[in-house]
Amino acid sequence: MASLGHITLPRAPSFEMSLLRRPIRTRIGFNGRIVSRQAQVSVNASVSQKAIEEEARVLVGTYARAPVVLASGKGCKLMDAEGKEYLDCASGIAVNALGHGDPDWLQAVTDQAAVLAHVSNVYYTIPQIELAKRLVASSFADRVFFCNSGTEANEAAIKFSRKFQRFTHPEDKEVATSFIAFTNSFHGRTLGALALTSKEQYRTPFEPIMPGVTFLEYGNIQAATDLIRSGKIAAVFVEPIQGEGGVYSATKEFLQSLRSACDAAGSLLVFDEVQCGLGRTGNLWAYEAFGVTPDIMTVAKPLAGGLPIGAVLVTEKVAETIKYGDHGSTFAGNPLVCSAAIAVFDKVSKPSFLSSVSDKGRYFKDLLVEKLGGNLHVKEVRGEGLIIGVEMDVQASPLVDACRDSGLLILTAGKGNVVRIVPPLIISEEEIERAVEIMSHNLTALD
């Protein structure tokens, strides 16, 4: 038995048995109830409720959590404390690219943990260097800075952008220090990244935050070009595909125009691929589909398969402006997290893997259009690869809640009217069909 404070948690039923060997087949009905004698016999129905009550007493209330206590996972399946199965199409908010319990990832983590987990960046470690070599070889970048999350990566990009401007204009009393971000953007919750995030409800409680940020309409070429030409813009931050904002994709023309305007004015172009990067779109990096390269790119979510990591990929012209002491992190790029990331990268970067993501993404979208497109509440199905948005004409949370009760985990995005689907990249066609079946069955929750 495992103990959580005063809560006694039974061991979750083994996925080795319930999903792989299946001695007793567990089926989830649309009502979310488990049809299994094994589950009915072995659970204590009060475990999750006790955990939820304990959480409310000891944790800061920053999350509006779904009323589910997850206990174990395998592949694209999760299991709660009572043994109910869920098909995971949220993947920890686009983090678990290889799903849960990938054997190669697990082997990399356990092997490295047994040898050396952390020593800080006072010393050299080989896994960090090996991961950086892979990121450089696979992208536009010449060098990498490691951190611990997406918001940290964007904070570093802010600092690097301002340092670049000061370094390249040493005689100027006033250098470019301002930034451009866009409507529906999300770049993080720390103060700098928060200043680049468009939703006022995220920013207002913490004002004053970093000044000098102008929000422009996502996709407005003329407005962006005019402001960049002012000479006051240190960097332009843009997501090639917005995730939190509602799964909106930039156009090739828009990103090309930003590249041209930044080149002419001496501003830096920063691509935030925290959510859309590393295979999620069917390309290794989302920018590849647009034929436009940035000066800086931030990545994080899927890179270490569930362990905390962030990375800032930069060109040599940016890297040469950053000196000892300009930035740093105690935990960043430690041997444990980098070994995990190497295991993820080596799988996801294979052409056959990326091709499968593209194929499954097309199948998923086609099936969503076929099964959901006729519903009056469904306005659009969009996305690239396995980052998919289904826009509704009403709030999507009733559908998300109903799907969760039926054993499917999905997310909202945008103004709450978009269903965001970001499953593990290993999801099977059978699991895609099951996800769409559950969503279709529960569309009545929107009425």
Side-chain angles (χ1 to χ4, degrees):
M1 305 290 279
S3 178
L4 173 63
H6 299 291
I7 305 168
T8 301
L9 291 176
R11 294 293 183 190
S14 170
F15 266 101
E16 180 77 14
M17 293 294 289
S18 67
L19 294 179
L20 300 181
R21 297 175 191 158
R22 293 192 178 275
I24 300 178
R25 183 170 177 81
T26 299
R27 178 177 60 83
I28 302 177
F30 282 123
N31 60 6
R33 295 175 182 171
I34 291 190
V35 187
S36 168
R37 293 191 307 277
Q38 176 182 351
Q40 291 170 351
V41 170
S42 63
V43 302
N44 177 353
S46 65
V47 169
S48 288
Q49 186 57 42
K50 288 180 180 178
I52 291 169
E53 291 169 357
E54 287 288 341
E55 187 270 357
R57 286 194 284 270
V58 296
L59 290 175
V60 177
T62 52
Y63 303 108
R65 301 180 197 264
V68 176
V69 179
L70 296 173
S72 62
K74 186 67 178 178
C76 294
K77 299 293 197 307
L78 286 165
M79 190 175 285
D80 69 15
E82 281 72 51
K84 176 179 173 179
E85 287 183 15
Y86 298 85
L87 175 56
D88 183 9
C89 282
S91 60
I93 315 182
V95 167
N96 300 107
L98 299 181
H100 306 278
D102 176 80
D104 295 320
W105 179 90
L106 185 60
Q107 189 70 53
V109 171
T110 54
D111 286 353
Q112 187 61 53
V115 176
L116 185 68
H118 173 80
V119 292
S120 87
N121 285 298
V122 172
Y123 310 99
Y124 297 93
T125 54
I126 291 173
Q128 184 181 109
I129 298 167
E130 290 300 315
L131 177 58
K133 285 163 61 177
R134 285 164 167 79
L135 295 174
V136 167
S138 68
S139 73
F140 71 94
D142 299 302
R143 296 178 186 269
V144 181
F145 171 83
F146 287 113
C147 51
N148 305 286
S149 67
T151 193
E152 283 190 31
N154 284 319
E155 293 284 348
I158 290 169
K159 290 181 69 174
F160 292 177
S161 298
R162 284 191 168 172
K163 180 65 186 300
F164 173 83
Q165 297 296 341
R166 294 190 185 281
F167 183 89
T168 54
H169 301 88
E171 304 301 324
D172 294 359
K173 292 183 178 180
E174 293 187 10
V175 299
T177 58
S178 296
F179 298 94
I180 292 174
F182 295 94
T183 52
N184 299 312
S185 62
F186 183 87
H187 297 289
R189 296 181 184 270
T190 51
L191 282 178
L194 184 62
L196 298 168
T197 295
S198 66
K199 288 186 178 179
E200 290 186 7
Q201 65 266 34
Y202 290 162
R203 301 196 317 268
T204 300
F206 308 104
E207 292 179 339
I209 53 180
M210 182 182 74
V213 178
T214 301
F215 292 99
L216 301 177
E217 181 186 2
Y218 189 69
N220 190 323
I221 293 174
Q222 191 61 55
T225 300
D226 289 346
L227 187 52
I228 294 168
R229 284 174 177 168
S230 71
K232 298 179 180 180
I233 303 302
V236 177
F237 278 73
V238 62
E239 299 156 272
I241 298 177
Q242 296 180 324
E244 174 78 16
V247 192
Y248 292 104
S249 178
T251 65
K252 184 175 183 178
E253 293 74 21
F254 176 53
L255 296 183
Q256 286 178 333
S257 72
L258 295 179
R259 177 72 277 169
S260 297
C262 286
D263 288 341
S267 302
L268 295 179
L269 181 58
V270 182
F271 283 175
D272 180 336
E273 293 207 13
V274 167
Q275 186 161 163
C276 65
L278 199 68
R280 176 60 57 183
T281 65
N283 289 299
L284 184 60
W285 308 115
Y287 75 80
E288 294 173 353
F290 301 93
V292 181
T293 57
D295 302 296
I296 300 175
M297 182 171 72
T298 56
V299 299
K301 284 182 179 293
L303 183 53
L307 295 183
I309 192 172
V312 187
L313 282 61
V314 301
T315 59
E316 188 63 39
K317 76 172 185 179
V318 175
E320 68 181 7
T321 71
I322 308 303
K323 305 302 179 185
Y324 299 125
D326 280 348
H327 203 40
S329 171
T330 298
F331 292 102
N334 71 40
L336 181 64
V337 73
C338 286
S339 292
I342 289 170
V344 173
F345 184 91
D346 285 351
K347 280 196 167 185
V348 172
S349 61
K350 291 180 179 178
S352 58
F353 187 98
L354 294 170
S355 178
S356 75
V357 173
S358 295
D359 293 342
K360 289 183 287 191
R362 282 191 294 271
Y363 184 60
F364 213 145
K365 284 193 295 181
D366 289 346
L367 207 55
L368 286 166
V369 170
E370 177 187 338
K371 300 293 186 181
L372 276 64
N375 186 277
L376 294 176
H377 292 299
V378 177
K379 295 177 63 178
E380 185 181 16
V381 177
R382 57 178 177 257
E384 298 293 335
L386 288 172
I387 177 169
I388 300 170
V390 182
E391 184 173 347
M392 310 292 181
D393 65 355
V394 293
Q395 290 295 288
S397 55
L399 176 59
V400 171
D401 293 343
C403 287
R404 183 182 66 245
D405 292 342
S406 296
L408 173 68
L409 302 183
I410 50 179
L411 302 165
T412 59
K415 298 177 181 178
N417 65 322
V418 177
V419 172
R420 181 174 24 159
I421 302 168
V422 281
L425 303 183
I426 61 165
I427 191 170
S428 67
E429 288 192 357
E430 181 182 4
E431 288 166 332
I432 290 169
E433 291 162 3
R434 180 62 177 150
V436 175
E437 180 186 3
I438 294 174
M439 289 182 66
S440 177
H441 181 86
N442 284 286
L443 282 174
T444 53
L446 298 175
D447 296 331

